[in-house]
Amino acid sequence: MAENDEVAAAIAAGNVCEAKIQFRQLKLFPAIDENNNFKISTANFLESSHQIVDAIGCFGKLFSPIVKDMRQNVKKLEDKFKTNETLFAHIEDLILKDAEGNDNPYDTVTDGLLWLKRAFEMMELFFRKVLEDETCNEQLKPHLRKAYEECLLPYHGFLAQKGFQILHFYVPSRTSLLGPSDANADNLKALDEFLVHFRANLHHLNEFFTKHDLHRTYKA
């Protein structure tokens, strides 16, 4: 029995649970507009980051190293933010202060945000490919592999690459992740809305890192 037929049979038998991620329940990443001086609100960015990292945790135990790394980088930002929430109300100000006079660019909050951004870029591209897949194929591994190759592979050494090759085989199916196709229309719409803000934040951070020469190309 083909994979799509197996899923259909499972749905008919009532054996398929609701979507692992309910995107309508996730807080959108902050708007970047004149109300925020065209900067990213640190508090709102952290809240949304926690939620999307928790959502990615539902992929399964094998993804726990990636989830743990993302959580650690969010915590770096959060700890720095809590030292002066007024001064660091916007991510850009927090990062510029962190970079001042720091002789070790590989052990800073800035570096933590850089790696978090890369992981988020992979997940944003993965979800976008899933959303744009008109075949609605249950198999999502190709989407995750392509997103990884574009966003993280250039910065990963041999061991990290091998680790990904193993875990990407265990990405949930489309139905498991988003819900049965006959009932997930609202979840797909919510995902589309979520990605607009997610992508805008990542694009803004990329421009910011480029403007201030904060990108690093060493391999993990």
Side-chain angles (χ1 to χ4, degrees):
M1 183 181 292
E3 185 173 12
N4 285 348
D5 293 335
E6 290 177 347
V7 171
I11 293 173
N15 295 328
V16 176
C17 299
E18 66 179 13
K20 286 182 178 292
I21 304 179
Q22 297 286 348
F23 284 95
R24 188 68 66 195
Q25 298 175 6
L26 300 184
K27 181 179 178 63
L28 297 177
F29 276 81
I32 306 169
D33 53 34
E34 58 185 5
N35 293 325
N36 280 312
N37 298 316
F38 296 99
K39 294 181 179 180
I40 295 176
S41 164
T42 305
N44 291 342
F45 181 85
L46 290 171
E47 183 180 1
S48 296
S49 294
H50 277 301
Q51 290 191 8
I52 191 62
V53 171
D54 287 344
I56 295 168
C58 79
F59 278 38
K61 291 183 178 180
L62 285 176
F63 284 80
S64 58
I66 290 178
V67 172
K68 180 181 179 181
D69 185 66
M70 286 191 289
R71 283 202 177 110
Q72 288 176 338
N73 286 325
V74 173
K75 190 175 186 305
K76 284 183 181 180
L77 287 166
E78 193 167 48
D79 288 347
K80 184 75 172 182
F81 173 57
K82 288 180 177 178
T83 63
N84 193 326
E85 296 187 11
T86 300
L87 182 62
F88 301 142
H90 298 104
I91 286 283
E92 296 85 346
D93 299 324
L94 185 155
I95 295 303
L96 290 177
K97 288 293 182 182
D98 180 64
E100 284 182 3
N102 197 315
D103 296 328
N104 185 0
Y106 306 131
D107 186 27
T108 65
V109 176
T110 303
D111 194 60
L113 178 58
L114 178 62
W115 282 103
L116 180 66
K117 178 184 68 67
R118 289 168 176 169
F120 278 174
E121 285 171 334
M122 179 184 74
M123 297 313 304
E124 188 278 331
L125 183 56
F126 165 71
F127 284 125
R128 182 155 31 110
K129 287 182 177 296
V130 171
L131 190 64
E132 295 172 351
D133 183 0
E134 295 181 353
T135 69
C136 297
N137 196 304
E138 282 295 310
Q139 182 61 265
L140 302 184
K141 289 193 288 286
H143 297 319
L144 185 61
R145 183 176 63 251
K146 289 178 181 178
Y148 171 78
E149 289 173 351
E150 182 171 329
C151 301
L152 276 179
L153 178 60
Y155 311 106
H156 274 181
F158 177 79
L159 292 179
Q161 292 178 33
K162 289 298 180 182
F164 177 82
Q165 288 175 10
I166 295 173
L167 70 84
H168 101 282
F169 282 106
Y170 296 90
V171 63
S173 68
R174 183 185 183 91
T175 294
S176 176
L177 193 65
L178 299 175
S181 59
D182 59 348
N184 70 359
D186 184 67
N187 204 23
L188 290 175
K189 182 179 179 182
L191 170 58
D192 191 22
E193 294 168 357
F194 181 85
L195 290 182
V196 170
H197 289 261
F198 196 17
R199 190 179 311 125
N201 275 244
L202 295 173
H203 178 71
H204 179 83
L205 287 174
N206 257 326
E207 289 188 332
F208 174 77
F209 270 73
T210 298
K211 177 180 178 180
H212 296 281
D213 193 26
L214 297 174
H215 288 290
R216 299 288 181 267
T217 58
Y218 72 94
K219 293 182 181 291

